[in-house]
Amino acid sequence: MKAARLHAPGDIRVEDVIRPEPGPGQVLVQVMAYAPYGTDVGTYLNRGGRYVKSYPVGIGADFSGIVAQLGAGVEGLALGDRVSALALDHCGICTNCARGRHNLCLDPAFCTPARQTCCEEYTLVSARKLAVLPDAVSFEDAAMLAGPVDALNAFRRMRLAAGDRVGILGVGAMGLGAVAMARALDLDVVAIGGSGRRSELAGELGAGHLFPIGAHGEAVAGRVLETFPEGLDAVMETTASVWGVEQAFAVAAPGARVALTGGGALPVTNWQIVERELEILGVRAGAGQAQVLEFIASGQLSLRPTITRRFVLDDVAEAFSLLAGPQARDVGRVIIEIGETA
Ligand SMILES: [Zn+2]
């Protein structure tokens, strides 16, 4: 089978590799569509040496496909089922899994994320990670779940209801997913950051207030506060960058809830958190894949308008060159079409 493999930062090749066999509890999935996001670009470049420890290595996490082979003991799935994979594995029986918070599984065998790869014709997945797609959800729709799933988790924990206002830092793959999820919940979206076509896409998805930036790393919080002088009550940071976290806290009103999805040091002191009574929420993916699929199936959420380019697997190097290059500001979502009917 064909598979993309990284051999060095910026060096991705499509190679022939042996098709894997599913072990107990595993499923072999024929990958139909793969939508790269920021973590994949970080992996492609191995930014900061943080992502890849040894080469060659596969890539990709957000995908959909068709069940091609079942390992021993797999129940509830059948050959030919259309599926997407959840970000994290889980045991299904611990206290947090029983509470529906399987992204916080307590079983040590599952709570450390195993590296998923999907930029290949077939990939092995733990059966528990798979969600069956409603008929109305296309493979492309189902390859872009990570952003809305994170956002649904964040918005619920920020206790947001229809009509509430939320600031979303960043309009990359995760940010656009958050904007779409927010609009599906009828939230008033303040999209902060981004430039070029990406910022326009946030507006087309329904963000009511856009604060694009002219250059990477430009401080934008001051402009947001000119429009909203009291600050924002809820802010979701999606860039996992020092810049994004700084801007998120700068626009947060006293008493605000700030949801964080990635790295960067906190730009506030303990005392500032106390003085402003800030609520800081960590968001580790989410457990709401089934709900997001229902929002897509019912037509309330669609990221398809954000797809600006499609590539076949053989052209994956061109896709990553685009996503990592200066033109990325004008690229929404990119789909790698792998199976024949994606
Ligand atoms: Zn568990």
Side-chain angles (χ1 to χ4, degrees), residues 91-92 94 97 105-106:
C91 76
C94 73
C97 282
C105 178
L106 298 167

Side-chain angles (χ1 to χ4, degrees), residues 26 29 34 42 112 140-142 175 226 235 252 288 305 318:
Q26 290 184 319
V29 176
Y34 154 50
T112 305
E140 287 190 343
D141 291 323
E226 283 173 18
V235 185
E318 187 187 347

Side-chain angles (χ1 to χ4, degrees), residues 3-328:
R5 292 287 181 263
L6 279 165
H7 285 262
D11 179 4
I12 190 167
R13 309 173 195 171
V14 177
E15 302 178 338
D16 280 316
V17 303
I18 295 170
R19 185 171 128 169
E21 291 286 323
Q26 290 184 319
V27 175
L28 186 73
V29 176
Q30 181 189 4
V31 180
M32 300 303 286
Y34 154 50
Y37 53 70
T39 303
D40 297 322
V41 179
T43 302
Y44 167 73
L45 297 172
N46 202 17
R47 278 199 187 110
R50 284 183 293 135
Y51 295 87
V52 183
K53 299 304 173 198
S54 67
Y55 292 96
V57 67
I59 193 167
D62 214 1
F63 73 98
S64 59
I66 298 169
V67 172
Q69 198 178 342
L70 299 172
V74 173
E75 294 173 0
L77 288 167
L79 296 183
D81 277 352
R82 303 163 67 252
V83 291
S84 66
L86 318 184
L88 303 165
D89 202 359
H90 61 284
C91 76
I93 52 175
C94 73
T95 305
N96 276 349
C97 282
R99 287 175 179 145
R101 298 190 78 177
H102 53 69
N103 57 319
L104 299 179
C105 178
L106 298 167
D107 187 326
F110 297 100
C111 62
T112 305
R115 177 183 281 276
Q116 179 72 51
T117 63
C118 69
C119 192
E120 46 213 21
E121 289 182 306
Y122 293 87
T123 189
L124 283 181
V125 189
S126 159
R128 279 177 307 272
K129 290 179 64 171
L130 292 174
V132 175
L133 307 184
D135 290 342
V137 176
S138 72
F139 287 118
E140 287 190 343
D141 291 323
M144 298 184 286
L145 295 186
V149 166
D150 276 27
L152 183 61
N153 183 7
F155 299 155
R156 287 197 169 147
R157 292 177 52 231
M158 289 197 280
R159 306 180 298 280
L160 297 180
D164 287 346
R165 178 172 294 148
V166 62
I168 295 173
L169 256 296
V171 291
M174 302 305 277
L176 290 174
V179 172
M181 188 70 249
R183 292 303 301 138
L185 297 170
D186 202 20
L187 303 179
D188 178 26
V189 175
V190 182
I192 305 166
S195 56
R197 183 79 186 109
R198 282 189 179 170
S199 179
E200 293 171 6
L201 286 168
E204 289 167 21
L205 286 175
H209 316 271
L210 299 175
F211 292 91
I213 56 176
H216 193 66
E218 178 185 310
V220 64
R223 281 196 283 127
V224 176
L225 293 172
E226 283 173 18
T227 303
F228 303 103
E230 295 182 344
L232 303 175
D233 288 330
V235 185
M236 179 180 179
E237 205 294 309
T238 73
T239 70
S241 69
V242 171
W243 169 84
V245 176
E246 282 179 353
Q247 304 306 305
F249 280 94
V251 301
R257 290 141 286 168
V258 181
L260 302 176
T261 60
L266 285 182
V268 287
T269 63
N270 290 6
W271 182 244
Q272 287 169 320
I273 294 170
V274 171
E275 203 171 33
R276 294 164 65 190
E277 286 200 2
L278 297 176
E279 289 183 61
I280 301 171
L281 302 162
V283 177
R284 185 186 196 236
Q289 285 84 354
Q291 294 96 318
V292 169
L293 287 169
E294 286 305 319
F295 277 110
I296 297 170
S298 67
Q300 293 170 277
L301 188 159
S302 177
L303 285 168
R304 253 188 272 183
T306 69
I307 300 171
T308 54
R309 291 292 298 272
R310 292 176 175 84
F311 294 87
V312 295
L313 178 57
D314 282 333
D315 294 332
V316 69
E318 187 187 347
F320 273 97
S321 176
L322 176 71
L323 286 166
Q327 290 87 28

